[in-house]
Amino acid sequence: MADKKYLVIVESPTKAKTIRKFLPSNYIVEASMGHIRDLPQSASDIPAALKKEEWAKLGVNVDEDFEPLYIVPKDKKKIITDLKSKMKDVATIYLATDEDREGESISWHLLELLKPKVPVKRMVFHEITKTAIQKALKETREVDDKLVRAQETRRILDRLYGYTLSPLIWKKIAYGLSAGRVQSTGLRMIAERERERMRFKRSVYWDIKAQVHPAADKKALFEAKLTSVKGGRVAGGKDFDGLTGKLVDEKKVVLLDEKKSKDLAKNIEKAEWKVTSVEEKTFNSKPAIPFITSTLQMEANRKLGMSSKDTMRTAQRLYEEGLITYMRTDSPNLSQEAINAARNMVVELYGKEYLNPEVRQYAAKQKGAQEAHEAIRPAGAEFTHPDKTGMSGRELALYELIWKRTMATQMKEAEKASMTIKIEAGDAEFSASGTRILFPGFLRVYVEGSDDPEAALEDKEVILPVLKKGDSLKAATITPDMHETKPPARFTEASIVQALEKEGVGRPSTYASIIGTILDRGYVRKEGSALVPTFTGMAVIQLLENHFEHLVDYSFTSEMEESLDKIAYGEEDWLKYLTKFYKGKGGLAKKVEEQDKKIKPEESRTIHIMKDGKPMDIKVGRFGPYVVEKGEGKEEVHASIPEDIAPADLDPEQIKELLKNQANGPTPIGTDPKTKEKIYCLVGRYGAYFQLGEVTEENPKPKRASLPKGKDPKTATIEDAIQALSLPRELGVHPETKKPILANNGRFGPYVMHDGNFRSLKKEDDLFTVDLKRALELLNEEKGASRRGGKVLKDFGLVAKLKKKVQVLDGKYGPYIKVGTKNITLPEDKRDPKVIEKMTEAELASIVLAAAKK
């Protein structure tokens, strides 16, 4: 048996490398590099023999049982050839792709293309450890046709949806736009939230806050807030209707304005302040359930600032390195092995007093949770401590998050005590609340919303002095406080994932692609962490809602997901389902044909917005959003709307100003002292900018510069303009290339540039004072390192033996050496920060030279 060879096929080289460690030397492990074939992406992919077939453009033959046209991309042909060559001398082939539908589909496609003549076994595991791999080798099965069919149905469904609707959107709005099944539903959620913000009416209300202390102890200050006046509850934000701005029930509350609150504050200055009641309760809080795909994405976004796409990419890396279990799962279930590992580690690190007496186990809420059988947790029967992973940067941060969350599940509940003190002062009643942590329990390792448990323990506690009914208090300060009601918050990546999950839209593997797609298509943009729909996105969803409402209806999309699940369980016929969806009465094909005749392009390109009772019509064109004014006997005036203005933030006054400036022509804000040309402050598609001189035939592109961030075009001065137009600044020449290094301001903020290489300035850097030395530091950083938390671990400067500048950087996949423009991975035994710190130039040079010989 030992002389026989076996071929194991996985998706990625990293996964192959990890699995190889747990298999005998006669097992050949190769990577398919993901999917090896798919539906055609463009007309050039379609085989010559089928180019004349109309259905081939769709990639699905809807008249022949929805038969898909699968194409092997050019970059995958060599992989197929290599795999065929490797399988010639093997006794058995093991397909070890991921355990979900996507992985099952990849295995099926491999079978179809390779057509092996030796036995083929499907190998399934949800973690890459020695135990799991050896168990999977013994407990193989055949490729699950039902899972494959469910994935294929999803792929066909999405292709029919996108390729049937997108051409219609091209015709009616603008070429290049498109629609996607789950992406459109996600876009609708974001657009609906923006409309809620448009309808929102601001309300102002006042209350009073006071700093008080026991009469005998001035140092024991605590804050109390006004709750009632003459027995009537003081109105707060929740008492107002967000759409009308009016009180929901005026009879139930006392509404204070500025005068009333100030008069009341004055009246209670000399009043007797005394405690009327002290109420203390003890309560316990439970740890959060283990991570599933959606909650991991939410928490990584909230705590680490990682996008859903980055979270899944990083988690994939951790899984393939054998550090965590499979990261696409709906199930919060923990195996007995995981429970034992967590409980043993809790005792080892924190002591028995922190271990929950009973084992905590968690069950999935939805049927679809069988795709993967366990929560996302550290892999193996013994969890690797974060300090011993060899990881750094994002990988370490995400692993630590998963490790902490899993550990917390088996720890005791946190015991807390809450105290509420009621205080009387004349006609007013105040209230103060505090919380004490009696026993931290799971909070010792994991606190939601914080990455520092020790700091969070302090933040969670608000300690009030020991008081009893009748005690006298003194008010140190009494401050009338104005509040404004706030519009519904825009979605973040964390909250949109939560909303999609709640509505049953998409599955774990799709959340990241939903968000990524609507961002990439320009339907949504990010403003900080908020997801803001663009006017183009609003136009697309408006067309779909007006003419294909059922396709973006949340329940309809959720039902589609349930049908796909039923196909995976063998409970529903895939062909009948596709036929009904596409060709049935009211099916997609017929619906698009009918609506094509009804939809007027001009109407589709116009977004109707109501703001403060005033209607606004915004047009969407090839070059972005704009407004049009029709004058009597005059030509139409068109004015671009800057793309950084959110739909809900646009108001009639801004439109009026844009049209006025466009109609009257620009007014100069001053004259450039050097060129004597007039300087203008203008507003265009990408926001406000300064312009030196006018557009003429001789000078079709006058010099322009973006306004510095935070500057208002209405108050911009000639000094601001001269400074901005002085850019780019030449800081000097690069010591190696002798090419200039420039500092400039761009659409995405200030940056330094050298030979086509750009780096954004940090918050502490000033565009107009940054010098050559600082620019070189920034240019030496790995691109995007600041976003990933990367940093220079050790700077060797110019290494004589190599005749180049060398640094050791903390990169996306751990520490590596940067030699000029080349990156070299550090050997495993040299990756520890302490080892890096002690590394000599000679050691470094030998690593670099050895890598060059490979």
Side-chain angles (χ1 to χ4, degrees):
M1 291 291 288
D3 57 339
K4 286 187 178 180
K5 288 185 179 180
Y6 303 92
L7 176 63
V8 180
I9 305 176
V10 297
E11 298 96 328
S12 75
T14 306
K15 189 174 175 182
K17 180 185 172 185
T18 308
I19 288 177
R20 212 173 276 130
K21 293 187 291 187
F22 306 126
L23 294 171
S25 58
N26 56 328
Y27 279 78
I28 304 161
V29 187
E30 293 295 327
S32 70
M33 306 303 288
H35 276 282
I36 53 166
R37 65 177 188 174
D38 196 5
L39 301 176
Q41 298 300 307
S42 64
S44 61
D45 291 337
I46 299 169
L50 296 173
K51 283 194 183 288
K52 291 181 180 179
E53 299 286 347
E54 191 63 30
W55 65 266
K57 295 174 186 175
L58 190 61
V60 179
N61 193 340
V62 295
D63 296 321
E64 293 292 335
D65 291 344
F66 294 90
E67 184 184 349
L69 171 61
Y70 288 121
I71 304 296
V72 178
K74 290 178 183 177
D75 60 336
K76 294 297 171 77
K77 287 179 179 176
K78 186 177 183 297
I79 293 169
I80 297 298
T81 303
D82 289 346
L83 288 173
K84 282 182 176 179
S85 171
K86 295 254 180 12
M87 72 184 213
K88 284 179 182 177
D89 303 320
V90 300
T92 308
I93 294 173
Y94 290 91
L95 299 173
T97 52
D98 290 344
E99 62 177 332
D100 60 2
R101 295 177 196 170
E102 198 82 27
E104 205 72 21
S105 178
I106 292 172
S107 281
W108 178 78
H109 281 289
L110 283 164
L111 265 180
E112 291 288 300
L113 274 175
L114 296 176
K115 302 188 186 310
K117 293 184 174 136
V118 295
V120 176
K121 297 180 180 181
R122 176 78 169 105
M123 196 177 150
V124 179
F125 44 87
H126 67 273
E127 60 182 353
I128 307 175
T129 60
K130 186 175 183 178
T131 305
I133 297 303
Q134 289 177 347
K135 184 181 177 186
L137 273 174
K138 293 174 186 175
E139 299 175 5
T140 57
R141 59 168 171 81
E142 293 184 350
V143 171
D144 189 326
D145 289 334
K146 292 193 293 291
L147 283 180
V148 172
R149 186 61 76 185
Q151 178 59 29
E152 186 172 66
T153 305
R154 174 187 286 277
R155 186 74 186 92
I156 292 169
L157 192 70
D158 288 343
R159 174 56 67 100
L160 295 174
Y161 189 113
Y163 275 47
T164 307
L165 276 173
S166 296
L168 182 69
I169 294 173
W170 298 349
K171 285 165 64 177
K172 307 300 180 181
I173 301 178
Y175 183 78
L177 301 180
S178 57
R181 184 175 63 90
V182 286
Q183 292 93 333
S184 296
T185 315
L187 175 60
R188 184 183 187 182
M189 284 184 177
I190 294 167
E192 282 185 338
R193 182 60 55 88
E194 195 72 6
R195 291 177 191 135
E196 288 175 13
R197 290 175 68 89
M198 290 175 193
R199 294 191 293 268
F200 170 77
K201 300 290 182 184
R202 185 177 70 96
S203 303
V204 175
Y205 60 96
W206 288 69
D207 60 20
I208 297 171
K209 63 182 178 183
Q211 291 289 323
V212 297
H213 60 82
D217 189 358
K218 289 184 178 181
K219 292 182 180 179
L221 273 175
F222 62 96
E223 186 176 276
K225 292 183 179 180
L226 180 69
T227 54
S228 67
V229 178
K230 293 181 180 179
R233 184 171 63 82
V234 173
K238 292 179 180 178
D239 295 305
F240 293 88
D241 186 308
L243 299 182
T244 65
K246 294 179 180 178
L247 281 173
V248 176
D249 193 337
E250 294 181 30
K251 294 177 182 177
K252 286 187 176 180
V253 293
V254 175
L255 177 62
L256 296 181
D257 57 19
E258 183 176 9
K259 184 179 185 306
K260 287 177 182 176
S261 64
K262 286 183 176 178
D263 288 347
L264 179 60
K266 193 174 182 181
N267 291 339
I268 61 176
E269 273 181 10
K270 296 178 182 178
E272 183 185 355
W273 290 63
K274 66 178 180 179
V275 176
T276 56
S277 72
V278 177
E279 188 179 346
E280 188 164 13
K281 293 179 181 177
T282 58
F283 64 98
N284 290 1
S285 61
K286 294 180 179 180
I289 68 170
F291 280 129
I292 58 176
T293 304
S294 57
T295 52
L296 179 65
Q297 290 178 22
M298 290 179 221
E299 195 75 340
N301 182 253
R302 284 192 293 257
K303 282 188 171 185
L304 308 178
M306 292 172 67
S307 68
S308 293
K309 189 176 180 181
D310 286 343
T311 300
M312 294 309 289
R313 187 187 291 128
T314 306
Q316 180 86 36
R317 171 82 177 176
L318 293 174
Y319 165 68
E320 290 176 351
E321 289 281 3
L323 284 167
I324 65 169
T325 52
Y326 193 54
M327 65 288 156
R328 291 188 179 93
T329 173
D330 281 340
S331 174
N333 174 56
L334 288 172
S335 66
Q336 191 57 51
E337 179 185 69
I339 289 168
N340 292 341
R343 293 179 72 81
N344 291 338
M345 205 160 208
V346 167
V347 174
E348 181 189 334
L349 295 176
Y350 305 104
K352 284 185 179 179
E353 66 272 25
Y354 279 89
L355 185 69
N356 200 55
E358 285 112 30
V359 167
R360 282 202 197 92
Q361 185 53 280
Y362 304 86
K365 292 178 182 178
Q366 61 265 56
K367 187 178 180 183
Q370 70 177 36
E371 270 195 36
H373 307 291
E374 196 171 358
I376 304 167
R377 51 95 172 169
E382 291 183 10
F383 295 166
T384 303
H385 192 283
D387 294 345
K388 296 179 180 178
T389 59
M391 289 285 174
S392 60
R394 286 188 173 186
E395 281 78 15
L396 177 60
L398 192 66
Y399 177 77
E400 193 168 35
L401 202 65
I402 295 165
W403 180 83
K404 286 179 177 180
R405 180 99 159 204
T406 310
M407 291 282 287
T409 66
Q410 302 307 314
M411 295 176 76
K412 277 187 180 175
E413 295 178 1
E415 297 173 25
K416 301 176 185 178
S418 68
M419 181 186 282
T420 303
I421 299 174
K422 299 286 184 184
I423 303 161
E424 186 180 85
D427 291 335
E429 184 180 68
F430 285 76
S431 179
S433 298
T435 304
R436 287 184 296 120
I437 294 172
L438 304 176
F439 178 71
F442 73 88
L443 293 177
R444 185 56 60 192
V445 66
Y446 186 84
V447 183
E448 282 194 286
S450 172
D451 288 319
D452 184 354
E454 294 300 327
L457 290 177
E458 295 175 3
D459 292 343
K460 292 270 180 180
E461 292 189 304
V462 178
I463 307 297
L464 296 177
V466 177
L467 293 166
K468 62 182 184 298
K469 184 179 179 180
D471 283 353
S472 292
L473 300 172
K474 294 287 184 183
T477 61
I478 302 169
T479 311
D481 207 11
M482 188 193 85
H483 304 274
E484 288 183 357
T485 54
K486 294 180 180 178
R490 290 188 174 103
F491 284 109
T492 61
E493 289 207 26
S495 58
I496 193 69
V497 166
Q498 192 171 31
L500 289 165
E501 184 181 46
K502 184 181 177 183
E503 293 291 348
V505 175
R507 283 294 178 262
S509 58
T510 64
Y511 297 136
S513 67
I514 290 170
I515 298 165
T517 301
I518 56 179
L519 284 167
D520 292 344
R521 287 179 179 168
Y523 296 164
V524 171
R525 64 180 177 83
K526 273 192 169 183
E527 197 172 275
S529 61
L531 297 171
V532 184
T534 62
F535 287 100
T536 301
M538 296 291 281
V540 169
I541 204 64
Q542 178 180 269
L543 183 147
L544 292 173
E545 287 172 327
N546 290 344
H547 303 281
F548 304 94
E549 189 177 13
H550 71 293
L551 291 178
V552 287
D553 182 79
Y554 302 139
S555 60
F556 176 76
T557 312
S558 176
E559 285 163 12
M560 291 171 94
E561 296 293 351
E562 288 173 15
S563 292
L564 289 167
D565 287 343
K566 286 178 181 178
I567 292 166
Y569 313 140
E571 296 172 6
E572 188 163 339
D573 184 273
W574 67 275
L575 185 55
K576 286 181 181 176
Y577 180 72
L578 282 177
T579 303
K580 181 183 175 184
F581 169 76
Y582 192 73
K583 302 172 85 173
K585 187 180 178 182
L588 182 63
K590 188 73 175 171
K591 189 76 175 172
V592 168
E593 187 182 335
E594 289 171 0
Q595 294 301 316
D596 190 5
K597 299 166 187 174
K598 296 179 184 178
I599 302 171
K600 297 177 181 177
E602 185 61 28
E603 180 63 23
S604 298
R605 295 179 189 130
T606 305
I607 306 162
H608 305 291
I609 294 175
M610 185 69 73
K611 191 73 178 285
D612 300 329
K614 298 176 182 177
M616 299 184 291
D617 285 351
I618 312 301
K619 304 283 184 181
V620 173
R622 186 180 169 191
F623 301 109
Y626 64 98
V627 285
V628 179
E629 184 178 58
K630 294 179 181 179
E632 292 182 16
K634 296 179 182 177
E635 292 183 1
E636 287 185 343
V637 178
H638 292 224
S640 290
I641 296 172
E643 292 188 356
D644 60 356
I645 296 180
D649 298 339
L650 184 66
D651 60 50
E653 286 303 311
Q654 286 173 298
I655 289 179
K656 191 176 176 182
E657 186 75 20
L658 289 167
L659 288 165
K660 179 184 171 185
N661 291 341
Q662 192 65 28
N664 298 337
T667 303
I669 61 170
T671 304
D672 179 38
K674 289 183 180 178
T675 64
K676 306 304 179 188
E677 287 193 87
K678 290 175 181 176
I679 294 177
Y680 301 89
C681 184
L682 306 172
V683 178
R685 180 183 177 185
Y686 300 118
Y689 61 94
F690 296 115
Q691 180 174 295
L692 179 62
E694 295 179 13
V695 177
T696 62
E697 285 187 19
E698 295 79 24
N699 187 22
K701 291 185 178 180
K703 188 172 184 179
R704 292 174 176 174
S706 300
L707 254 69
K709 200 172 183 180
K711 282 283 181 184
D712 186 339
K714 291 180 183 177
T715 58
T717 65
I718 186 67
E719 289 75 23
D720 294 330
I722 291 168
Q723 189 179 53
L725 288 163
S726 69
L727 298 172
R729 292 174 56 225
E730 185 168 330
L731 307 181
V733 296
H734 196 285
E736 292 178 10
T737 67
K738 306 304 178 188
K739 292 183 179 180
I741 294 176
L742 305 174
N744 204 352
N745 195 28
R747 186 182 171 191
F748 302 107
Y751 62 89
V752 289
M753 178 189 73
H754 163 254
D755 197 22
N757 198 9
F758 296 80
R759 293 292 183 279
S760 294
L761 293 184
K762 308 288 174 66
K763 287 181 182 178
E764 63 269 22
D765 297 315
D766 183 271
L767 176 60
F768 296 99
T769 59
V770 65
D771 58 16
L772 180 63
K773 182 183 176 184
R774 176 60 179 151
L776 287 168
E777 287 175 6
L778 291 168
L779 289 163
N780 280 335
E781 283 186 7
E782 181 197 6
K783 198 159 190 175
S786 61
R787 293 193 299 274
R788 295 194 295 272
K791 61 180 181 179
V792 178
L793 298 177
K794 188 166 184 178
D795 191 342
F796 287 87
L798 187 67
V799 176
K801 197 169 183 179
L802 302 171
K803 297 180 182 178
K804 286 183 179 178
K805 278 191 169 186
V806 184
Q807 291 178 317
V808 178
L809 297 170
D810 183 6
K812 184 179 178 183
Y813 301 118
Y816 69 96
I817 302 168
K818 187 174 183 67
V819 187
T821 58
K822 289 184 179 179
N823 297 336
I824 298 167
T825 303
L826 270 171
E828 290 292 332
D829 61 339
K830 303 289 184 186
R831 305 184 98 192
D832 188 279
K834 292 177 182 176
V835 175
I836 293 168
E837 186 59 38
K838 293 177 182 178
M839 192 181 290
T840 64
E841 274 196 24
E843 287 176 305
L844 180 86
S846 65
I847 294 170
V848 173
L849 294 170
K853 290 176 183 176
K854 288 183 181 178

